[in-house]
Amino acid sequence: MTDESLKLDNQLCFALYACSREITKLYKPELDKLGITYTQYIALLVLWEKDNITVKEIGTKLHLDSGTLTPLFKKLECMNLVKRTRDTVDERNVYITLTPLGAELKKMAISIPKEIFCSTGLSPQAAVTLKENVNSLLSNLDSTHKKI
C-alpha cells in the first residue's frame, strides 16, 4: 500500500461525509422555519409515509439505533408532533404516531425536497443515478455488516 491510499482526496468515506454535511446544511434554513432538526425531519418523513409504527421499524429505515431515536421522539412528543405508546402485549415495543400537528407539518414541508434538489445543480437523471449508486453502496455495506 502506498502513501496515496492515505491522502484525504482519495478517501471515498470523506467525499461522502463532506457531501452529506453540505447537503444537510442546505436543509437547515428550511427546517428552522418548521422548528425541527434534520434528524427529526427524516424521522417525520418515515411517519408521513407510514404512521403508527415502532421505533425499531423507524430505526431500521433510518439506520439509527433506539439510543438515538428515543430522545428524538421524546423531544418531538414535547413539541406535540408525535405520540409515543407502549405496546400492551410487549412493552419493549414503542409505537410512534403523528399528532394532528405532526400531520399538518407535512403540508409545510412539501416544498423542501424540490428546493434542496434545485440547490444541488444536478440534472434529474444525474440525481437518480447518484441516488441509485449510493443506495447500492448502502445495501452492500449493510450486507457486509450483517456478515460480521
Side-chain angles (χ1 to χ4, degrees):
M1 200 165 280
T2 68
D3 288 348
E4 287 295 309
S5 67
L6 293 177
K7 287 188 175 179
L8 184 63
D9 286 345
N10 294 336
Q11 306 302 310
L12 174 62
C13 60
F14 180 72
L16 292 168
Y17 166 78
C19 190
S20 176
R21 286 183 44 85
E22 291 303 313
I23 289 174
T24 302
K25 280 186 205 174
L26 291 174
Y27 278 91
K28 186 167 179 12
E30 298 306 314
L31 297 179
D32 283 351
K33 293 174 191 173
L34 303 180
I36 59 175
T37 66
Y38 180 77
T39 310
Q40 291 169 339
Y41 171 69
I42 61 174
L44 288 167
L45 286 174
V46 173
L47 291 165
W48 291 332
E49 196 173 312
K50 182 182 178 193
D51 196 8
N52 193 35
I53 60 174
T54 65
V55 171
K56 184 177 181 178
E57 289 175 276
I58 296 168
T60 299
K61 285 194 80 83
L62 297 178
H63 299 269
L64 295 171
D65 61 33
S66 62
T68 301
L69 291 174
T70 297
L72 180 139
F73 286 122
K74 284 183 179 179
K75 176 77 173 169
L76 288 175
E77 188 172 45
C78 288
M79 296 165 69
N80 194 31
L81 297 175
V82 302
K83 183 173 190 237
R84 298 178 307 134
T85 309
R86 288 215 175 267
D87 189 331
T88 55
V89 176
D90 185 349
E91 289 189 2
R92 294 173 296 180
N93 290 325
V94 176
Y95 283 85
I96 307 297
T97 308
L98 289 165
T99 63
L101 184 60
E104 186 69 23
L105 198 63
K106 180 180 182 179
K107 293 175 187 168
M108 296 170 64
I110 199 76
S111 65
I112 292 175
K114 183 177 180 183
E115 290 177 34
I116 300 305
F117 171 74
C118 289
S119 299
T120 67
L122 293 171
S123 70
Q125 185 55 49
V128 168
T129 301
L130 177 59
K131 184 179 172 305
E132 288 171 351
N133 288 335
V134 172
N135 283 340
S136 178
L137 174 60
L138 182 57
S139 178
N140 291 343
L141 294 171
D142 277 347
S143 295
T144 302
H145 183 258
K146 289 176 183 167
K147 292 177 187 174
I148 297 174

